[in-house]
Amino acid sequence: MTAHHRQPALFATDPELAALVSAEETLQAETLRLIPSENYVSAAVLEASGTVLQNKYSEGYPGRRYYEGQQNIDRVEALAIERAKGLFGVDHANVQPYSGSPANLAVYLAFAKPGDTVMGMALPMGGHLTHGWGVSATGSWFRGVQYGVRPDTGLIDYDAVRALALAERPKIIFCGGTALPRTIDFEAFASIAEEAGSVLVADVAHIAGLIAGGAHPSPAGHVDVISTTTHKTLRGPRGAMLMCKEEHAKAIDKAVFPGLQGGPHNQTTAGIAVALHEAAQPSFVSYAHAVVANAKALAAALLERGFDLVSGGTDNHLILIDLTGKDVPGKVAAKALDRAGIVVNYNTVPFDPRKPFDPSGIRIGTPSLTSRGLTAAHMPVVADWISRAVDAAAKADEPALAAIRSEVADLMAAFPAPGLPLA
Ligand code: DSN
């Protein structure tokens, strides 16, 4: 089916925009997408996310809205809520946050006042902007204190986290982040938070799908609030959820609406409901474990090819490559890989001597390639491409990058991506 047939109204009304969508479909089909926070949603999630639910305002919550005509919307949101509660084993779920940053801001609104001390992992160590980092509103409206990883192991030093928490007594402690290749010990964080009298929030945006599929321990029962986006390993539309113990349900709901947001994006809620349904199937358990198996196989193959990996490898979907020893900075490598049809992002590594906009590392992950059906047997090939592309970047060897791009496209053609035209 051609793009004109798939989106006939769009092509007729706005061919310029339609051509861009079509080009993006081709790009996502032909390239090897290794950004660990990205994925491919299913055709069903895509369909649910682009429906007439878009036309409806629904400020409030199911059964308690400020607009009439909610017969269907209430049921859509209730379905999403029930599915989230069942999948993650939590008392309460709010599926309305527009994305991860607003979700985290709602947590601050629920539990802290401006000027209060909050604690999270430093962004350059693998944390997230919204965990109290200075350039974020969360770091300027609150007093952010930050923990990191040990320089010798690249692992979180839980003794240091405990010492900082007891010295600072933060209102909120965030665990989780965006560049953490290792398992998060939620029990250790829970005992620290209890001792410090802090509200503990697990930001599991990156690993939500692994948790749902049983490939990473769950924070449920250990933390006060679970914050997650829905579009990473969970394979839903771009959105977020806050899940919590019953005692915090009112505070969380009130913070999301009316505290921070207006009407929920009902078409996104529908897509989230479908993604949660898909994540509850036995096939998703296999998917989550395959993501981790692929990441471990890719890490091993990269180590064999002389790459330096932060923390020496991975326990999850994500690998952080420190290119310091390769003499190719992260940004140069990322742009060369992009020209080779391999899409990654440049990233700081812990204790990076370089600047965030020109750092020493690249961050890769296996959620997308696993969604296409690649297995551990393909990972040496992927590692070879990365190695050859980084070498080519050092020599500015454009023909070598073009050759890799063609090999990548050949393999990708054999593994159509879910939700894309060729699937
Ligand atoms: N932007 C997300 C990521 O790439 O990890 C985090 O917000």
Side-chain angles (χ1 to χ4, degrees):
M1 191 191 274
T2 67
H4 290 82
H5 287 101
R6 280 194 316 283
Q7 293 131 1
L10 183 57
F11 269 89
T13 304
D14 190 343
E16 188 181 5
L17 192 282
L20 291 172
V21 173
S22 181
E24 179 63 19
E25 287 174 346
T26 303
L27 190 69
Q28 291 192 17
E30 291 182 350
T31 53
L32 178 62
R33 299 171 68 235
L34 293 182
I35 293 176
S37 47
E38 294 182 349
N39 213 327
Y40 296 96
V41 298
S42 69
V45 168
L46 265 187
E47 284 179 11
S49 309
T51 60
V52 295
L53 300 183
Q54 156 108 298
N55 298 338
K56 193 75 196 106
Y57 248 118
S58 311
E59 287 179 5
Y61 290 100
R64 296 177 284 132
R65 305 281 191 188
Y66 290 83
Y67 293 74
E68 296 311 313
Q70 308 293 343
Q71 298 85 327
N72 304 308
I73 300 296
D74 271 4
R75 290 174 66 186
V76 168
E77 188 169 335
L79 256 186
I81 290 169
E82 285 314 309
R83 288 174 180 174
K85 284 162 63 175
L87 189 63
F88 289 95
V90 291
D91 296 341
H92 181 74
N94 185 310
V95 297
Q96 294 194 5
Y98 299 142
S99 203
S101 297
N104 285 347
L105 203 50
V107 172
Y108 288 89
L109 191 57
F111 299 108
K113 295 264 179 292
D116 281 348
T117 300
V118 298
M119 182 168 146
M121 191 174 211
L123 180 66
M125 294 281 171
H128 189 255
L129 278 167
T130 58
H131 297 183
W133 188 243
V135 297
S136 151
T138 64
S140 52
W141 293 346
F142 302 91
R143 183 178 158 265
V145 295
Q146 309 266 275
Y147 58 88
V149 295
R150 286 176 58 115
D152 53 339
T153 60
L155 302 175
I156 294 171
D157 180 343
Y158 289 93
D159 291 335
V161 174
R162 181 172 172 276
L164 184 63
L166 293 183
E168 299 286 355
R169 305 271 170 187
K171 272 274 163 56
I172 303 173
I173 297 177
F174 277 88
C175 58
T178 61
L180 301 178
R182 295 296 181 177
T183 301
I184 300 166
D185 187 342
F186 296 118
E187 287 183 49
F189 271 105
S191 99
I192 292 166
E194 190 179 3
E195 231 181 311
S198 312
V199 170
L200 179 61
V201 183
D203 183 341
V204 300
H206 265 259
I207 54 174
L210 305 185
I211 292 167
H216 187 289
S218 172
H222 300 300
V223 306
D224 294 290
V225 180
I226 301 171
S227 173
T228 186
T229 52
T230 46
H231 46 268
K232 298 185 175 91
T233 48
L234 196 53
R235 297 191 60 194
R238 302 194 81 90
M241 305 191 293
L242 288 170
M243 299 176 278
C244 60
K245 298 174 177 171
E246 191 54 46
E247 64 189 278
H248 300 310
K250 271 201 182 130
I252 287 292
D253 282 356
K254 213 173 130 205
V256 173
F257 175 84
L260 199 61
Q261 298 189 170
H265 295 175
N266 297 313
Q267 74 282 7
T268 299
T269 307
I272 291 172
V274 174
L276 292 168
H277 174 69
E278 291 177 345
Q281 307 309 311
S283 58
F284 199 85
V285 173
S286 311
Y287 169 71
H289 285 87
V291 167
V292 175
N294 281 343
K296 284 180 184 289
L298 182 53
L302 288 166
L303 288 169
E304 273 170 27
R305 285 157 184 78
F307 282 96
D308 184 10
L309 308 184
V310 171
S311 84
T314 184
D315 298 327
N316 53 31
H317 65 301
L318 183 149
I319 298 165
L320 193 53
I321 304 178
D322 184 346
L323 291 168
T324 309
K326 295 278 184 192
D327 291 329
V328 181
K331 196 173 193 172
V332 173
K335 290 191 177 300
L337 282 159
D338 196 48
R339 296 199 292 286
I342 299 171
V343 188
V344 307
N345 69 275
Y346 54 88
N347 214 94
T348 51
V349 295
F351 309 101
D352 203 325
R354 302 177 67 90
K355 297 271 178 272
F357 201 56
D358 184 18
S360 300
I362 52 174
R363 189 183 68 148
I364 62 174
T366 51
S368 297
L369 65 78
T370 308
S371 294
R372 297 183 80 138
L374 271 69
T375 67
H378 297 103
M379 294 308 112
V381 176
V382 173
D384 256 343
W385 284 332
I386 294 172
S387 180
R388 283 165 53 199
V390 169
D391 287 348
K395 298 182 214 144
D397 184 348
E398 291 303 319
L401 297 176
I404 297 166
R405 187 175 188 104
S406 151
E407 291 170 36
V408 168
D410 283 349
L411 185 68
M412 293 303 101
F415 289 89
L420 290 187
L422 301 177

